[in-house]
Amino acid sequence: MVGKKSGKALLREEGLERTDNNMEMTSWPVIQAINQKNYYTDYLKRDEQILAFRSQREEDRNKMIKQARDRDRALAQGHIVEPEGDVDMEDGDEEAEDEASSGAKTIVIHLGSQNLRVGLANDALPKTVPMVIARRAQRSESEENDGEPAPKRAKLSNGLPPPEPEKRFGEDFAKKFSGMSQDLKVRMRMNKRKVLPQSRDMVTSYNRRNTYDTITEHNDTMRIEWTDTSNSPEYITGKAALRIPDKSTPRYKLYWPIRYGWLNEQDYESKRFLYDDIRIILEEAIRTQLELNLKTREEWAQYSVVIVTPDYYERTYVTGLLDMAITEFGFGRVCFFQESLACSFGAGFTTCCVVDIGAQKTAISCVEDGMILDNSRVNLKYGGRDITEMFVKMIIYNHFPYSELNLNRRYDFQLAEELKAKYCTMTEADISVQLYDFHLRAPNQDTRKYTFKIYDEVILAPMGLFRPQVLEDNGKLNGRHKLLDRSYDIYDGKSNDPTSTAQAEILTSIAPPEVLNSTNKSFGLPTNGHTNGLLPNGSATKDESFNDSRRPSFSNIKEIDATPQPSAASSPVRQSNLDGTPAPDDVIMDGAEGVPNGYIGQQNLPPPLPRPEEEEPLPLERRDDILPVYPLPAAIVTSITHAARGSSQKTSDLLSGIMLTGGTSVIPGLASHLEDALKGILPGYSKDILIGRPPRELDPQVVAWKGGAVFGRMSRTNDSWINAFLYERLGERVLAHKLMWAW
């Protein structure tokens, strides 16, 4: 038996014995590990450690020191100083202070999809400029795609459009148009309004046999001065761009840098050209409309700018405008302000639900105590332009005498906008067969005067806000993120664009099944394979009945408010559609049977809206594949639901403070019709629902700009300004410290 060897012998035999001289492997000092139990730091825990706050305090401190020196100088010279310590400032300093407080050196800019509103903060009203630029091109926009007109016409097998106006937009549109007209007759009869039989036949028979009268140019007192392009400028902006003849020499093509509230990536091939066009439009508007001939960078630095941004924005949009304002324009200070908050400032409301219906988008947000409730933000991609297109289709369907109306032509587009502004209404008392006239003014042609009759098209076209299934998609999602990618967090790599649970709920309710099946989360809206009648591109399904009585359902959402509710059998409820119109059978149902969405009409205490959950069902990457198109009343209810969070009092406050803004909100009768629609969805809150417009006879189209002007004049209390010093050192990170909302 072999004896046991010692450990040293094993080390020696195995070659593991240490033979060095105990010297360190390196001369670099060894850093000991941190003791986690005693570890503490105050890094970035005090305002003094953040440059944005420190520079603001240094500026305030320097101002206080200067005031103290002025006070001591005044006392030494024997001047009388008030108890508060106020003294007369030097002439230059007093003039600068007056200009800052009066807004004479502050420019307020509100960018829209169709119009730009710009002005000084001390102006009563802004200047409105079309947000368009014309550049030289081989073909104009009316000559592209082989001159295909807009709205699109159906084509026969031989490639020609059908001669009958009733067939020019397809059977689907004809079926929807007839269904809408029939529903309107039912509603008008229910409201005891007179409906003449054969009204549609009276309109079509008159329009068929009507011709036009020619007016020579020297007899036309309202003739248009078309833009002269003989000197071939590189670009033309504003109203002059819309008055360039379509067949000018050389040709010009119109570009709209902002479409549907987004940067227009579809019509541009370069991100640089897109931002250049925005810069040129802004610069030309400031120089021509505000009469500020600023040439050097020192002159631009004397002015500050307030930019009104959307509530549901994209980060790349805000950061791009910030870089443009400081780097390219050279403004001294830049400040950002959200649209709904600007509307509340301009109207003087502290708690309200702002419904901004613009030309190409509709934004809904709830404001409470000077802050926008993030989860209440809703952004829908339809507006006044969709109403114009629907109105054109309907009047052509009824044998409009000028059947060649093409929205791709500039003079036709302006004519269609004029007809919509004059005749569209939502007041049922104004619906009857009426005779109107208009003048067609085209370049190099004599003016033509048409007379035509019109019936229910004036109310059915704006009804697209309540029944968006009839609106066309028009490729609104084409080119999304082709030039500008989403903003991503540098740490986790996820998109950090703002989100809203109200917007997510709407997208969930209209999403196709394949998108919903991509996640196992449930947001609370029952899908049941529905897409709410909308395909992924937002168009209506062909097999869907137009009399859609579905309503936004909250049956799967947890209800946290424990307010006692009376018996359901004590309150009758009228069944209604999404737009508030009665269902075809117009049934009054008692008890729990047939009560829409569990809402029970109560005489004293309305039930609280269900409290939605916080989780967001759709991945951010899939949301850009769904066009947000949803009935306006249901979208308002969704926004208020997520803002109230189950509180009956807050729900009542928001419902009683709904404010309509935007250019499309001026349609007569829209507020009362929307109010009736909301009462049909929320019968328990009928007494609280109140829709109004901005007070003091302020134009709803400029109320957001007016709020930005009020904010820009708050020089003493506004600490949201970003100057070139901060932007040079911090870049876009300064927005996290300077914006009024969570960045």
Side-chain angles (χ1 to χ4, degrees):
M1 182 175 180
V2 180
K4 184 178 180 181
K5 296 184 178 179
S6 63
K8 292 184 178 181
L10 289 175
L11 291 174
R12 187 168 50 255
E13 293 179 1
E14 297 294 335
L16 300 177
E17 184 178 8
R18 182 173 179 177
T19 58
D20 60 359
N21 54 2
N22 294 328
M23 295 183 65
E24 297 290 342
M25 299 294 295
T26 178
S27 60
W28 288 92
V30 178
I31 301 176
Q32 300 297 327
I34 297 176
N35 186 353
Q36 297 291 335
K37 295 182 179 180
N38 299 328
Y39 181 69
Y40 172 78
T41 180
D42 60 352
Y43 178 65
L44 293 183
K45 290 185 178 180
R46 297 196 304 267
D47 291 346
E48 293 81 3
Q49 298 171 333
I50 299 176
L51 179 61
F53 295 121
R54 189 168 65 248
S55 62
Q56 180 70 30
R57 291 191 176 183
E58 290 177 357
E59 182 178 349
D60 296 339
R61 185 167 55 250
N62 294 335
K63 187 179 297 185
M64 292 176 59
I65 294 173
K66 185 179 182 304
Q67 290 179 353
R69 290 177 178 174
D70 293 340
R71 181 178 181 275
D72 295 340
R73 186 183 302 110
L75 290 175
Q77 294 176 357
H79 297 293
I80 299 176
V81 180
E82 298 180 0
E84 292 80 4
D86 295 337
V87 297
D88 294 336
M89 295 183 295
E90 298 178 2
D91 294 339
D93 297 336
E94 186 175 1
E95 182 180 355
E97 185 72 17
D98 291 341
E99 289 180 347
S101 60
S102 65
K105 292 289 187 178
T106 302
I107 300 174
V108 182
I109 297 174
H110 184 197
L111 297 167
S113 300
Q114 187 164 312
N115 290 312
L116 162 70
R117 290 179 171 83
V118 59
L120 295 174
N122 60 349
D123 292 340
L125 293 174
K127 303 293 184 180
T128 300
V129 182
M131 191 67 190
V132 63
I133 182 172
R135 287 187 175 274
R136 283 182 294 183
Q138 295 181 352
R139 295 178 296 178
S140 64
E141 61 275 7
S142 61
E143 297 173 331
E144 292 184 337
N145 300 323
D146 297 329
E148 183 178 12
K152 294 181 180 180
R153 272 71 160 175
K155 294 182 180 180
L156 300 175
S157 57
N158 56 4
L160 298 176
E164 302 87 353
E166 297 88 348
K167 298 181 180 179
R168 292 184 183 176
F169 301 105
E171 297 180 358
D172 188 32
F173 172 76
K175 186 185 301 182
K176 292 177 181 179
F177 187 17
S178 301
M180 294 176 70
S181 182
Q182 187 64 30
D183 291 346
L184 179 63
K185 291 180 180 179
V186 173
R187 179 183 174 92
M188 293 180 67
R189 288 194 182 101
M190 183 190 67
N191 294 334
K192 310 301 181 184
R193 300 192 183 279
K194 186 177 181 180
V195 178
L196 296 177
Q198 307 300 326
S199 299
R200 182 65 55 80
D201 295 337
M202 295 170 57
V203 172
T204 55
S205 62
Y206 180 86
N207 291 340
R208 276 196 189 101
R209 64 176 184 269
N210 185 37
T211 58
Y212 60 85
D213 297 330
T214 303
I215 302 176
T216 57
E217 183 179 358
H218 62 274
N219 290 328
D220 185 10
T221 59
M222 303 294 293
R223 61 180 178 271
I224 297 176
E225 297 294 336
W226 302 99
T227 303
D228 183 17
T229 59
S230 57
N231 54 354
S232 302
E234 181 182 355
Y235 57 82
I236 302 174
T237 64
K239 295 180 181 179
L242 294 178
R243 293 182 177 177
I244 299 176
D246 292 85
K247 296 183 179 180
S248 62
T249 304
R251 290 287 195 274
Y252 282 84
K253 181 181 177 182
L254 298 184
Y255 290 91
W256 303 82
I258 298 179
R259 280 287 178 91
Y260 316 112
W262 294 321
L263 292 175
N264 185 6
E265 303 174 67
Q266 177 181 355
D267 298 337
Y268 285 87
E269 299 297 333
S270 170
K271 178 174 67 174
R272 184 61 187 173
F273 288 159
L274 174 59
Y275 280 113
D276 275 347
D277 281 359
I278 297 177
R279 180 188 59 80
I280 291 173
I281 294 174
L282 291 177
E283 186 174 357
E284 291 294 322
I286 291 173
R287 288 180 175 174
T288 59
Q289 301 298 322
L290 304 185
E291 299 180 355
L292 297 177
N293 190 15
L294 307 178
K295 297 181 179 179
T296 64
R297 199 168 184 85
E298 289 75 14
E299 294 177 346
W300 283 98
Q302 296 177 5
Y303 284 83
S304 306
V305 61
V306 177
I307 303 177
V308 182
T309 60
D311 308 327
Y312 200 68
Y313 58 89
E314 292 182 336
R315 280 184 169 232
T316 53
Y317 176 81
V318 178
T319 55
L321 292 180
L322 174 62
D323 183 76
M324 181 188 304
I326 296 227
T327 305
E328 299 190 29
F329 280 101
F331 282 110
R333 298 185 302 174
V334 182
C335 178
F336 291 95
F337 205 41
Q338 290 176 296
E339 285 179 346
S340 294
L341 191 56
C343 291
S344 68
F345 266 63
F349 294 165
T350 57
T351 300
C352 60
C353 177
V354 180
V355 182
D356 183 7
I357 310 176
Q360 298 180 9
K361 74 173 180 65
T362 298
I364 306 171
S365 296
C366 294
V367 180
E368 183 182 21
D369 296 334
M371 291 297 293
I372 294 179
L373 304 177
D374 292 343
N375 285 332
S376 69
R377 294 175 296 180
V378 172
N379 197 300
L380 306 176
K381 300 306 178 184
Y382 59 74
R385 177 62 185 269
D386 298 272
I387 296 177
T388 302
E389 184 171 337
M390 180 59 59
F391 182 64
V392 169
K393 293 170 70 174
M394 288 180 175
I395 59 178
I396 292 178
Y397 183 92
N398 285 345
H399 295 259
F400 189 62
Y402 180 49
S403 60
E404 300 84 9
L405 186 61
N406 181 5
L407 293 180
N408 285 336
R409 287 198 292 257
R410 295 154 196 169
Y411 58 89
D412 280 352
F413 170 73
Q414 297 180 72
L415 173 63
E417 289 287 333
E418 179 184 352
L419 294 176
K420 180 193 70 173
K422 280 185 177 181
Y423 306 128
C424 279
T425 180
M426 297 205 73
T427 305
E428 294 180 1
D430 299 337
I431 305 304
S432 63
V433 178
Q434 301 185 37
L435 179 65
Y436 295 112
D437 62 69
F438 69 92
H439 294 77
L440 174 64
R441 296 178 173 89
N444 303 321
Q445 298 180 17
D446 289 334
T447 301
R448 290 182 285 180
K449 179 182 179 181
Y450 289 87
T451 58
F452 68 101
K453 282 189 176 181
I454 202 168
Y455 177 48
D456 57 358
E457 303 94 323
V458 293
I459 191 173
L460 295 183
M463 194 65 70
L465 300 176
F466 299 80
R467 296 182 173 183
Q469 297 92 337
V470 300
L471 302 179
E472 296 292 337
D473 172 24
N474 294 333
K476 295 180 180 179
L477 292 178
N478 294 345
R480 283 286 289 149
H481 297 301
K482 181 182 72 173
L483 304 177
L484 303 171
D485 200 3
R486 301 181 186 89
S487 176
Y488 294 96
D489 190 89
I490 60 175
Y491 297 105
D492 56 15
K494 298 180 180 179
S495 177
N496 55 7
D497 281 330
T499 58
S500 169
T501 55
Q503 181 82 358
E505 178 177 334
I506 290 176
L507 293 178
T508 303
S509 64
I510 64 178
E514 55 268 18
V515 176
L516 294 175
N517 295 335
S518 63
T519 176
N520 294 326
K521 296 181 180 180
S522 176
F523 191 73
L525 277 181
T527 58
N528 299 327
H530 285 297
T531 62
N532 198 35
L534 296 177
L535 297 173
N537 61 357
S539 59
T541 54
K542 294 183 179 180
D543 58 345
E544 182 190 17
S545 173
F546 187 80
N547 294 326
D548 189 359
S549 60
R550 290 193 298 271
R551 306 166 191 84
S553 174
F554 302 90
S555 56
N556 294 340
I557 301 179
K558 295 181 180 179
E559 186 158 328
I560 300 180
D561 193 291
T563 306
Q565 302 179 9
S567 171
S570 62
S571 302
V573 178
R574 183 182 298 273
Q575 191 177 15
S576 60
N577 290 324
L578 271 177
D579 60 350
T581 57
D585 52 359
D586 192 26
V587 178
I588 300 293
M589 294 168 290
D590 294 333
E593 296 182 359
V595 176
N597 304 322
Y599 291 120
I600 302 171
Q602 302 179 27
Q603 299 178 359
N604 297 323
L605 181 65
L609 288 178
R611 184 171 179 176
E613 296 183 13
E614 289 290 345
E615 60 181 351
E616 300 175 358
L618 293 176
L620 291 174
E621 293 75 11
R622 300 304 302 270
R623 296 184 190 179
D624 289 332
D625 300 332
I626 305 172
L627 183 66
V629 173
Y630 203 61
L632 182 59
I636 295 175
V637 172
T638 304
S639 176
I640 294 179
T641 302
H642 287 260
R645 302 293 299 158
S647 171
S648 298
Q649 183 61 41
K650 187 180 293 186
T651 302
S652 300
D653 294 341
L654 293 174
L655 287 174
S656 61
I658 299 176
M659 180 174 60
L660 289 181
T661 63
T664 310
S665 67
V666 300
I667 296 178
L670 176 60
S672 59
H673 193 91
L674 181 59
E675 190 171 319
D676 294 340
L678 291 175
K679 290 178 180 178
I681 299 177
L682 302 176
Y685 290 90
S686 298
K687 296 181 180 180
D688 299 323
I689 297 174
L690 180 63
I691 299 177
R693 291 185 176 180
R696 299 186 298 275
E697 298 182 356
L698 186 62
D699 188 357
Q701 303 180 71
V702 302
V703 63
W705 180 93
K706 193 66 176 179
V710 173
F711 185 70
R713 296 173 63 176
M714 300 169 58
S715 59
R716 295 180 180 270
T717 59
N718 184 4
D719 57 353
S720 302
W721 295 107
I722 302 172
N723 54 31
F725 170 78
L726 292 176
Y727 183 71
E728 179 184 354
R729 285 157 178 77
L730 299 179
E732 63 184 51
R733 292 177 297 168
V734 71
L735 293 171
H737 306 295
K738 286 294 185 178
L739 293 182
M740 295 180 60
W741 64 91
W743 175 252

